[in-house]
């Protein structure tokens, strides 16, 4: 699959799943702009420091991407805020607010900012990184789980609204993926994650990136409004 000549924005793309997606898009030929609160360097990728909770930063990222060729072909909303996590009784307003501002409102703002470009060019692919917790519940994560469910709903709504303009909007729902913030092998949480998969292991960021590449590419031209689990079978139990 190729993204040759396409311009792609990946939010939260310095580490983990976002980094794997950005690198995969670049290898497929895309001009990639990564937006993150941290900065890095990688071949074929332009990094812009930005907070997904800031409307001003989001506008700057989209402007930077648009200067490449006047197009924005792919948006991958990966940026999210993941705090310590609490059940509903203990979750403070600050936890809810930050999760809402970065994960959900950030997704909305990036989407609204790129849509005029996609409308002018009569096409585009928007990929929202949700979670299995956008499809099922999770312990001690009232805010995170609620917002990820909202991202799935947002995905379906936007797909409905812009489908006739050839703008596809899909969500990927990763399960337990090994990243720098994952529980260590052998920990109780790690063992619980493995027990919830059919494959008996946690996933790797490149396995989520492969799904994102497919959805970004023309190979997925008839797929929109989908929430695709990449979870080793977690949500099929």
């Amino acid at each position: 699959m190729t993204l040759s000549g396409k311009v792609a924005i990946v939010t939260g793309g310095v580490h983990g799943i976002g980094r794997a997606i950005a690198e995969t898009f670049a290898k497929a030929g895309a001009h990639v702009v990564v937006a993150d609160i941290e900065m890095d360097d990688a071949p074929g990728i332009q990094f812009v420091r930005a907070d997904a909770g800031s409307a001003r930063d989001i506008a700057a990222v989209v402007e930077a991407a648009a200067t490449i060729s006047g197009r924005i072909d792919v948006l991958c909303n990966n940026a999210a805020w993941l705090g310590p996590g609490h059940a509903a009784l203990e979750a403070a307003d600050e936890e809810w607010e930050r999760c809402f501002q970065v994960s959900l409102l950030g997704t909305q703002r990036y989407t609204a900012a790129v849509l005029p470009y996609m409308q002018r060019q009569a096409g585009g692919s928007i990929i929202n990184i949700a979670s299995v917790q956008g499809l099922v519940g999770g312990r001690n994560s009232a805010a995170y789980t609620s917002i990820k469910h909202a991202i799935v709903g947002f995905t379906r709504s936007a797909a409905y609204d812009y489908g006739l303009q050839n703008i596809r909007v899909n969500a990927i729902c990763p399960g337990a993926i090994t990243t720098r913030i994952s529980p260590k092998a052998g920990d109780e949480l790690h063992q619980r994650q493995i027990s919830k998969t059919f494959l008996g292991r946690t996933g790797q960021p490149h396995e989520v990136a492969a799904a994102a590449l497919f959805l970004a590419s023309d190979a997925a031209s008839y797929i929109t409004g989908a929430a695709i689990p990449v979870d080793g079978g977690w949500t099929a139990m």
Side-chain angles (χ1 to χ4, degrees):
M1 285 173 286
T2 180
L3 299 180
S4 180
K6 295 183 183 292
V7 176
I9 297 172
V10 180
T11 73
V14 168
H15 299 289
I17 290 172
R19 181 59 173 259
I21 291 171
E23 291 178 346
T24 297
F25 284 2
K27 288 176 183 175
H31 301 279
V32 180
V33 176
V34 163
D36 205 309
I37 57 175
E38 299 181 43
M39 295 290 284
D40 206 342
D41 186 31
I45 298 175
Q46 177 183 347
F47 289 86
V48 179
R49 189 185 303 278
D51 182 347
S54 165
R56 180 179 296 179
D57 286 3
I58 289 169
V61 170
V62 173
E63 183 178 351
T67 60
I68 295 171
S69 66
R71 301 176 59 89
I72 299 177
D73 300 283
V74 181
L75 167 66
C76 181
N77 284 306
N78 172 72
W81 187 80
L82 180 61
H86 296 91
L89 182 62
E90 293 84 23
D93 287 354
E94 291 78 10
E95 181 175 346
W96 282 96
E97 181 65 23
R98 190 61 179 155
C99 198
F100 171 77
Q101 287 290 336
V102 173
S103 302
L104 183 57
L105 196 54
T107 292
Q108 152 63 17
R109 285 170 170 161
Y110 269 110
T111 299
V114 304
L115 277 170
Y117 295 93
M118 293 183 175
Q119 289 173 318
R120 283 198 295 270
Q121 65 207 33
S125 175
I126 298 171
I127 304 157
N128 299 322
I129 305 301
S131 168
V132 291
Q133 287 176 236
L135 302 173
V136 298
R139 71 181 185 184
N140 294 330
S141 59
Y144 180 84
T145 296
S146 297
I147 293 300
K148 290 300 186 179
H149 271 74
I151 287 173
V152 172
F154 174 82
T155 297
R156 290 169 173 160
S157 180
Y160 200 144
D161 290 337
Y162 300 102
L164 291 180
Q165 298 174 60
N166 195 36
I167 297 169
R168 298 181 295 105
V169 189
N170 293 289
I172 295 175
C173 299
I177 305 298
T178 301
T179 67
R180 65 194 176 106
I181 61 173
S182 298
K184 291 185 172 31
D187 286 358
E188 182 273 334
L189 180 54
H190 181 255
Q191 291 303 120
R192 187 170 67 87
Q193 289 176 340
I194 290 174
S195 73
K196 287 182 172 289
T197 75
F198 294 167
L199 299 178
R201 64 175 178 86
T202 56
Q204 297 297 318
H206 72 84
E207 294 176 298
V208 182
L213 175 59
F214 171 64
L215 291 173
S217 76
D218 294 340
S221 58
Y222 199 56
I223 299 176
T224 194
I228 300 175
V230 181
D231 64 358
W234 185 314
T235 53
M237 285 188 175

